[in-house]
Amino acid sequence: QSGLHMIGTTAQHRGLGLGGKMTKFLLHVAQSNRSEIVYLVASQLGALIYEKLGFKDQGKMLSYSLEER
């Protein structure tokens, strides 16, 4: 099994295909490592990229943060 987490680009680099290229590269690495399942945590911005690559929506995750006081 493999997991892909926090793939993203800065706002100025969005729309250039970089997220898709990185994801395809990481999928190749996972397959080279004989991963039968690849898990992905994605934002709504990246959802279309991952769906085009065959990933299926498995539900939502909560995200928490703790700010310095």
Side-chain angles (χ1 to χ4, degrees):
Q1 297 177 354
S2 294
L4 309 180
H5 306 279
M6 302 302 291
I7 298 170
T9 58
T10 59
Q12 66 194 30
H13 293 99
R14 288 190 189 121
L16 301 175
L18 299 174
K21 288 178 184 177
M22 179 59 74
T23 304
K24 287 177 186 176
F25 172 76
L26 294 171
L27 282 173
H28 174 74
V29 171
Q31 291 165 344
S32 296
N33 289 328
R34 298 184 179 173
S35 293
E36 293 182 18
I37 299 172
V38 179
Y39 294 98
L40 170 69
V41 176
S43 69
Q44 285 184 312
L45 282 174
L48 289 175
I49 294 170
Y50 307 123
E51 288 171 2
K52 286 179 185 177
L53 293 172
F55 284 92
K56 305 287 184 219
D57 186 340
Q58 297 294 312
K60 308 296 180 224
M61 258 178 83
L62 296 176
S63 181
Y64 297 90
S65 64
L66 178 62
E67 295 183 25
E68 285 188 50
R69 297 178 184 199

